[in-house]
Amino acid sequence: MKRKTALLTAAIALVSAAMPLVAQSAPDVLTFTNGDKLTGKITKGTGGSVTFHTDMAGDQAVDLAKIKSASSTTNFVLIRKVKKTVARVRDLETVTGKIKITDGKLTITPDQGAPETVAAGDIAFIIDQPTFEKQVHQKTPLWKGWTGPLTAGFSSVQSTQTSITFTGAAALVRTMPSLPYIATRNRTLVNVSETYGKQTTPTIPPTTPATPDTIVKTNLFHADAERDQYLPERNLYMLGTLSYDHNYSSGLNLQQIYGGGIGWTPIKTAKQTLDLKGDVHFEMQQFIANSGEPDVHLFGSTFSEAWTYNLPKKMVFTESGNYIPGWTENSVYSANATAMLTLPVWKQLAASVSGTDSYISNPAQYYKPNTYTVTFGVTYTVK
């Protein structure tokens, strides 16, 4: 009898311990005004809509006016609309609690306090409490918080001539904090791209003794990193930057740039972003060994712009350009421009087409100053 009592007590204890876990994982239920239902989780909200996640349909933005009833099982932070972006978290008007939507009206119930109904026009954003606390009060590790596309393309030809071409690129951005309506403190950008090709052509007709095959290599490499530190309550920021370029097509073995300057973001909306930048830097150019060209050391500047535009159907167009004049060597300057269009395919995968034009005023002897590349590839967006 005692043994049965002990087993019963243990079973009750296990069930009691498991109940909070069951309650915590309980799904949210959203009912539309037409009676249809979705089972999943409310994840966030913007303006007059909330995003509802289901395992089958993924994320769906639903207007509050179309919701008959919905409620969250976890706490959210509701940020009220303000006239401008604020620099400090304490300047935000927030309410924390569980949200409930009834006939298109949203009510938030704090853990302590009376429920409050908030008009759709007064809602800026709704963010789950753990994400808000992590962004505001915790330090994000360096390897987290990165977003941006990773692109790759490959081609191979096997015939009388053989050739192989590989292209790859990464354009990653880390913005802190990433919460809307809170001014950006800092931003880190890392860009890497490479186009490598090798073509082998045999001597036709063959000779005796045999003439070695003709091998032509293409190798274009670019890498840069930038750290932006934003000024309080402004779209201006101080920046530090470095970049490395390698281009066999212009006889350039390595170009290095190290500098600092100032940037401005005149446009920053959900649809598009425009950045304008300028710096003063030290620049060094080294040409391929057999060109006979001397190394170049100079001071110069980089004037650049970068534009991102969100098109319909989740298509994204990005474009950037740089003009790099030399101040201590007026005859030395370079420029480059890139444009890319991504078309969504499935979840975070997209097809992409991009074009890059690079120019250098002082290529190695017998090399052309201009290099143009077009890339068709597959893009994966890091989130």
Side-chain angles (χ1 to χ4, degrees):
M1 186 70 180
K2 290 182 179 181
R3 184 178 179 182
K4 290 183 178 180
T5 303
L7 289 174
L8 181 60
T9 303
I12 294 174
L14 288 172
V15 172
S16 300
M19 286 181 65
L21 297 177
V22 174
Q24 185 178 6
S25 61
D28 302 333
V29 179
L30 185 150
T31 304
F32 290 92
T33 52
N34 64 359
D36 292 343
K37 292 185 178 182
L38 288 177
T39 301
K41 284 288 182 182
I42 299 173
T43 58
K44 59 184 178 180
T46 303
S49 68
V50 295
T51 299
F52 199 83
H53 177 83
T54 66
D55 293 336
M56 297 298 294
D59 292 335
Q60 297 187 49
V62 183
D63 291 339
L64 294 179
K66 297 180 180 180
I67 300 176
K68 177 67 176 177
S69 65
S71 59
S72 69
T73 55
T74 56
N75 278 359
F76 283 82
V77 177
L78 185 149
I79 303 175
R80 298 181 189 274
K81 276 189 177 179
V82 291
K83 293 183 179 180
K84 63 178 182 178
T85 300
V86 301
R88 297 171 299 183
V89 176
R90 63 174 178 266
D91 294 332
L92 289 174
E93 296 182 19
T94 64
V95 184
T96 302
K98 292 181 175 61
I99 59 176
K100 184 177 181 179
I101 304 168
T102 305
D103 295 327
K105 296 180 180 179
L106 187 144
T107 301
I108 185 165
T109 304
D111 293 335
Q112 295 180 349
E116 180 180 354
T117 300
V118 183
D122 294 332
I123 301 172
F125 297 96
I126 301 170
I127 305 167
D128 64 280
Q129 187 178 8
T131 298
F132 183 85
E133 295 292 336
K134 184 177 181 180
Q135 288 279 334
V136 172
H137 300 298
Q138 298 179 21
K139 195 170 183 179
T140 304
L142 182 61
W143 59 88
K144 291 186 178 181
W146 294 94
T147 62
L150 306 176
T151 304
F154 177 81
S155 66
S156 176
V157 175
Q158 302 294 324
S159 185
T160 304
Q161 293 178 320
T162 61
S163 66
I164 183 173
T165 302
F166 168 80
T167 59
L172 301 178
V173 180
R174 183 177 185 265
T175 302
M176 292 291 134
S178 60
L179 291 177
Y181 268 63
I182 301 178
T184 301
R185 291 193 303 268
N186 58 70
R187 180 177 61 175
T188 306
L189 300 92
V190 176
N191 298 287
V192 180
S193 63
E194 181 170 17
T195 298
Y196 175 83
K198 180 180 178 181
Q199 178 175 295
T200 303
T201 303
T203 300
I204 300 177
T207 61
T208 304
T211 301
D213 295 343
T214 301
I215 298 176
V216 178
K217 290 184 178 181
T218 300
N219 192 354
L220 287 80
F221 175 80
H222 171 81
D224 69 67
E226 178 181 311
R227 173 71 171 193
D228 302 332
Q229 198 68 37
Y230 279 78
L231 301 177
E233 300 187 48
R234 295 179 183 272
N235 288 328
L236 292 172
Y237 51 89
M238 307 300 294
L239 63 90
T241 184
L242 57 86
S243 68
Y244 303 95
D245 285 275
H246 170 77
N247 187 348
Y248 270 157
S249 298
S250 294
L252 182 66
N253 187 49
L254 180 63
Q255 175 177 281
Q256 305 176 58
I257 290 178
Y258 308 91
I262 192 167
W264 177 41
T265 308
I267 302 176
K268 187 177 182 181
T269 66
K271 195 167 188 177
Q272 60 179 323
T273 301
L274 174 65
D275 275 287
L276 304 176
K277 307 172 188 178
D279 73 18
V280 177
H281 62 244
F282 169 75
E283 181 177 343
M284 182 174 67
Q285 294 178 338
Q286 296 171 305
F287 294 90
I288 57 178
N290 61 359
S291 68
E293 297 290 339
D295 293 348
V296 176
H297 301 80
L298 58 84
F299 286 94
S301 290
T302 300
F303 300 102
S304 63
E305 55 81 24
W307 182 46
T308 300
Y309 192 83
N310 295 315
L311 297 165
K313 306 295 183 181
K314 296 184 178 181
M315 295 186 295
V316 180
F317 176 77
T318 57
E319 174 271 334
S320 64
N322 298 285
Y323 173 59
I324 310 172
W327 300 127
T328 54
E329 294 282 350
N330 293 332
S331 62
V332 178
Y333 61 91
S334 59
N336 58 74
T338 299
M340 182 170 75
L341 177 66
T342 58
L343 302 91
V345 175
W346 181 69
K347 292 187 177 181
Q348 292 169 251
L349 287 176
S352 64
V353 56
S354 65
T356 300
D357 191 6
S358 301
Y359 177 85
I360 181 172
S361 67
N362 59 328
Q365 190 176 12
Y366 307 120
Y367 286 83
K368 292 185 176 181
N370 193 275
T371 303
Y372 183 72
T373 59
V374 177
T375 301
F376 297 89
V378 177
T379 297
Y380 176 83
T381 301
V382 178
K383 293 184 178 180

